[in-house]
Amino acid sequence: MTKTFELRPGYAISRVIRGGWQLAGGHGAIDRQQAVTDLIAAFDAGINTYDCADIYTGVEELIGAARGRLREERGLEAAAGMKVHTKLVPDLEKLGNMNRDYIRGIVEQSLQRLRTDRLDLVQFHWWDYSLDGYLDAMGWLNELHGEGKVRNVGTTNFDTPHVAEILKAGIPLVSQQLQYSVLDQRPAKSLTALAAANDVKFLCYGSVAGGFLSDKWLGEAEPDMPLENRSLVKYKLIIDDFGGWDLFQSLLSTLRKIGDRHGVDIATIASAWVLRQPQVAAVIVGARNQAHALANAGIMDVALSDTDIAEIDTVIAQSNGLDGDVYTLERDRTGRHGSIMHYNLNAGKV
């Protein structure tokens, strides 16, 4: 498997992206100095692309500090080799009165935090389709692309009809960040075909389902709700919709058998499967320390065989699959999935 992917001509990323969500303030105390060291360790392991967001408290600053240290210790060329993808997530309460200055302000804030004069990729999210300002917002973001402040424009968690609408409006999307895993194949229903027709690539989170797709859970009894954090609750709901705990255990056993053939763990096989799917450019994985970063880099060394894929697909075929298009379940704010989401994080609210 190649370890880089050309997202657009002249812009290549690592096929494993270092996720930043676990470094946000809501996940416990962060040793900032160690976090910067760990981010640079990922870079040295071959993971030169990083994911963050305006709503991930403190994460853009940490990645900016890592880029600054690279610049100071190794020079401009090394710092330029660090690719950083951020997200622009307007608060739900702001969607009804969105304006150009609000979008520009968030971009300028990200530029400052990341210590750069151009953002490599800005991925736009919109909470509520009943409010139609997303096309205006994407247009304003594209203006910043034209000014050179944003190198590439993408979306995150848009469904197929709305991605089609954005493309029809002439916005030059290069990517969509979305959830994709052996448990959740919603992108394959219809978005993959649209993306292929318009050269839009997928950057995938959730490939290890918040840690559920790991050796830790193989053979374990089904946990009781509530679980210790929102991430685990979120992915336990995905497991339930996939087909329940018994089918999940069957999937883990299959992944473990394949992992034995390749000499790697379950999580690595789960992420390698996602990298084999059409339109997938990269998987986004978190790491709590340097050892995790090194393990994640190993995903790029795994070449799954057709036999491996067939064995995984046999288990997936026993699932009814998750309902709806990309992020449909999560957009229902009264439903099981949507009710645990936080919607106004820029304002420090939920």
Side-chain angles (χ1 to χ4, degrees), residues 11 52 91 134 159 168 201 211 255 337:
Y11 183 71
C52 56
D91 287 346
Y134 53 88
D159 63 16
K168 186 178 179 180
K201 300 302 190 296
L255 296 175
H337 296 264

Side-chain angles (χ1 to χ4, degrees), residues 28-56:
I30 299 294
D31 181 333
R32 294 182 61 83
Q33 193 75 10
Q34 186 60 47
V36 170
T37 298
D38 290 346
L39 288 168
I40 293 175
F43 182 85
D44 290 335
I47 301 174
N48 70 355
T49 309
Y50 299 76
D51 180 76
C52 56
D54 57 327
I55 60 171
Y56 295 175

Side-chain angles (χ1 to χ4, degrees), residues 123-274:
Q123 303 160 106
F124 184 75
H125 177 85
W126 190 262
W127 290 114
D128 189 345
Y129 291 145
S130 71
L131 300 168
D132 61 6
Y134 53 88
L135 283 179
D136 288 336
M138 290 295 300
W140 297 326
L141 184 57
N142 195 37
E143 289 176 4
L144 293 162
H145 167 65
E147 293 174 20
K149 291 181 179 291
V150 174
R151 185 173 187 174
N152 298 294
V153 175
T155 51
T156 182
N157 295 327
F158 276 79
D159 63 16
T160 307
H162 291 87
V163 171
E165 189 177 12
I166 291 167
L167 290 166
K168 186 178 179 180
I171 307 298
L173 296 183
V174 302
S175 64
Q176 153 114 308
Q177 184 175 144
L178 43 67
Q179 182 170 290
Y180 208 159
S181 74
V182 291
L183 297 168
D184 178 8
Q185 300 92 48
R186 285 177 290 176
K189 290 183 178 181
S190 59
L191 186 58
T192 294
L194 177 69
N198 291 275
D199 198 26
V200 175
K201 300 302 190 296
F202 297 157
L203 308 175
C204 305
Y205 65 87
S207 66
V208 298
F212 271 115
L213 289 166
S214 69
D215 290 276
K216 172 184 176 181
W217 289 99
L218 179 61
E220 291 295 310
E222 183 171 6
D224 294 325
M225 290 284 201
L227 298 169
E228 61 186 271
N229 58 53
R230 275 195 309 125
S231 177
L232 288 176
V233 173
K234 164 187 167 68
Y235 289 111
K236 177 57 168 59
L237 293 174
I238 297 292
I239 291 169
D240 294 344
D241 288 358
F242 174 73
W245 198 254
D246 288 344
L247 184 57
F248 172 63
Q249 285 296 319
S250 177
L251 178 62
L252 288 183
S253 295
T254 298
L255 296 175
R256 178 63 269 158
K257 181 173 67 173
I258 296 168
D260 288 342
R261 292 202 288 260
H262 292 270
V264 298
D265 62 7
I266 286 174
T268 297
I269 297 299
S271 292
W273 180 91
V274 176

Side-chain angles (χ1 to χ4, degrees), residues 16 18 22 34-35 37-43 45 47 265 267-268 285-299:
V16 171
R18 170 67 158 84
Q22 290 180 319
Q34 186 60 47
T37 298
D38 290 346
L39 288 168
I40 293 175
F43 182 85
I47 301 174
D265 62 7
T268 297
V285 291
R288 289 187 293 276
N289 52 48
Q290 293 185 38
H292 284 160
L294 292 171
N296 291 339
I299 296 167

